[in-house]
């Protein structure tokens, strides 16, 4: 054990999720899920008889604040392990600080891929674990003429590049691509609505994030489009964003993620019930929160094996641990620091709840650089047996 933690008699860790600003809705769920996992671990005796002590700051959805608070955590607060970040712009602001201190960031959010840092553990989905499955489902059920609408920052640009490749691979077409400000309101989507009317795409792939999401879906509904025929598909519209819209606005739209709060497995129900017991029955529990939760358990198990919170010693232990996460058994890939995950595709029902419409039933090896950029080969690690696309949902 290093001197700092021994002197404090706790495992001090940093927690950086926004409680205010554009993406605070989903980041608050990541914060609460992180604290739930820490409380569970501490209630069971902590790690090697010492509690985990979170140092929590609010970086206000701002890359600049994220960076300043990461400096503070690693300097003044002397933590070595940090759990945090939603937007890729904030991860990219924090990572150089983490790297210069030889610390370790646990990042629990789906992202655009094409990144590796020895100092980052990626527990959200890479494109081969969500974009590919969503695209396949959409091509089969809706068509392959896509329009792309995104927030104006790095994730939407890069995620759209991946989706464009998949659409072209299928023989389809991108009819238009446009971006709105991060804090867009309903009126910012007037141009998108006009373009949808003009070009009549089969699918609108949205990379709009945070509070602007509900504004987009409301504008779409107000324009009279029919999601049953022409849905919005988005990897960044989860339970937290849907909580901001009436059910009739949400109904019919789609996403892909490894976890949904409606997932019926015993492990998923346990997690969702524990979260809602603290925050109320109506509290949304998205995949971003599930990853925030299981990554704390993975880190705790690695600290216990290493006998230290020193990233140099924690990192090699992480790859040897399998954890029974709410979504299914997960583990970190030793070569790329990303996570083996269980993709599922879901559609919002009339109550505004995600119902799984395609459960491939396989755990998918992370391929962040899309080395296998194929719609048909997702690098499954052989856990589970793949169901064909048209099979009933599970
Ligand atoms: C994201 O910015 N990774 C959603």
């Amino acid at each position: 054990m290093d001197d700092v933690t021994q002197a404090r008699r706790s495992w001090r860790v940093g927690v950086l999720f926004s409680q205010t600003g554009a993406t605070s809705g989903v980041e608050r769920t990541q914060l609460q899920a992180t604290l739930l996992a820490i409380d569970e671990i501490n209630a069971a005796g902590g790690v090697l008889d010492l509690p985990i002590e979170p140092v929590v700051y609010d970086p206000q959805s701002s890359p600049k604040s994220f960076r300043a608070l990461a400096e503070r955590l690693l300097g003044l607060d002397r933590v070595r392990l940090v759990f945090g970040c939603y937007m890729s712009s904030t991860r990219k602001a924090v990572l150089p600080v983490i790297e210069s201190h030889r610390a370790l960031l646990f990042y629990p959010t789906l992202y655009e891929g094409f990144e590796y840092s020895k100092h980052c553990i990626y527990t959200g989905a890479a494109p081969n674990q969500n974009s590919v499955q969503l695209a396949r489902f959409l091509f089969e059920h809706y068509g392959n003429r896509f329009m792309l609408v995104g927030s104006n920052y790095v994730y939407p640009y890069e995620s759209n590049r991946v989706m464009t490749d998949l659409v072209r691979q299928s023989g389809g077409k991108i009819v238009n691509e446009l971006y709105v400000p991060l804090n867009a309101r309903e009126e910012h989507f007037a141009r998108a609505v006009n373009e949808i009317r003009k070009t009549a795409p089969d699918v609108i792939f949205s990379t709009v994030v945070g509070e602007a999401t509900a504004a987009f879906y409301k504008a779409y509904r107000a324009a009279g489009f029919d999601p049953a025929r022409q849905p919005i598909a988005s990897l960044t519209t989860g339970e937290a964003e849907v909580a901001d819209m009436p059910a009739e606005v949400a109904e019919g739209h789609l996403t892909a993620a490894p976890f949904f709060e409606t997932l019926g497995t015993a492990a998923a129900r346990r997690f969702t019930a524990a979260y809602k017991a603290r925050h109320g029955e109506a509290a949304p529990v998205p995949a971003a929160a599930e990853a925030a939760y299981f990554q704390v358990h993975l880190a705790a198990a690695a600290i216990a094996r290493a006998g230290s919170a020193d990233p140099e010693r924690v990192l090699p232990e992480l790859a040897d641990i399998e954890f029974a996460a709410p979504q299914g058994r997960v583990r970190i890939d030793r070569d790329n620091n990303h996570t083996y995950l269980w993709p599922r595709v879901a559609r919002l029902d009339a109550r505004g709840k995600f119902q799984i419409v395609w459960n491939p039933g396989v755990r998918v090896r992370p391929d962040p650089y899309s080395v296998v950029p194929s719609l048909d080969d997702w690098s499954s690690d052989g856990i589970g047996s793949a169901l064909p696309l048209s099979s009933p949902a599970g």
Side-chain angles (χ1 to χ4, degrees), residues 23 85-91 107 109-113 125 153-156 207-209 235-236:
T23 49
C85 300
Y86 178 81
M87 280 188 281
S88 290
S89 49
T90 66
R91 183 191 70 257
Y107 175 59
T109 307
L110 72 111
Y111 88 112
E112 63 278 9
Y153 76 103
V154 61
Y155 162 75
T207 46
V208 173
V209 300
L235 302 167
T236 45

Side-chain angles (χ1 to χ4, degrees), residues 40-58:
E40 283 177 359
I41 292 160
N42 289 345
V47 181
L48 303 176
D49 295 328
L50 293 182
I52 298 177
E53 180 194 344
V55 182
V56 179
Y57 293 123
D58 174 13

